[in-house]
Amino acid sequence: AVGFPIEEYEKAAAANATPALVKVFDAARACDVAFDTLHVPDQFPAEGILAAATERGCDLIVMASHGRRGVSRLLLGSQTSKVVVQSLIPVLVCR
């Protein structure tokens, strides 16, 4: 049996998340905005975003959208759409 190197996967996922989180950190600090960054491993993005926002008592979720519409959105799925539909917390979607 071949084992899946889960530790390597988790390390790579965290390494891939870091540059995006650093950009958010720098932009928020430059605007003097209160913020926190978080990498949520082992969840689909929408579920992780909703769980983290609820657990941390967030009053707003801000997400980006690629602006896909119609069949393209249906075929590709949209984590932003899932968050908007499932969230009890207001969601601001930016293009």
Side-chain angles (χ1 to χ4, degrees):
V2 176
F4 186 77
I6 192 72
E7 296 84 19
E8 289 178 34
Y9 166 78
E10 289 175 351
K11 222 185 263 186
N16 286 331
T18 298
L21 295 175
V22 167
K23 284 182 185 179
V24 171
F25 179 93
D26 291 343
R29 187 170 6 142
C31 296
D32 198 28
V33 172
F35 69 97
D36 194 8
T37 59
L38 175 68
H39 172 230
V40 180
D42 301 327
Q43 288 191 349
F44 288 108
E47 287 79 9
I49 290 165
L50 291 168
T54 301
E55 289 168 9
R56 290 173 171 241
C58 295
D59 53 5
L60 178 67
I61 298 170
V62 180
M63 296 187 69
S65 172
H66 295 291
R68 292 187 183 106
R69 290 180 172 40
V71 174
S72 176
R73 186 168 114 195
L74 289 174
L75 293 175
L76 296 175
S78 169
Q79 296 302 308
T80 301
S81 291
K82 289 177 185 177
V83 171
V84 168
V85 170
Q86 297 174 11
S87 182
L88 300 176
I89 300 167
V91 180
L92 174 63
V93 179
C94 304
R95 265 210 213 232

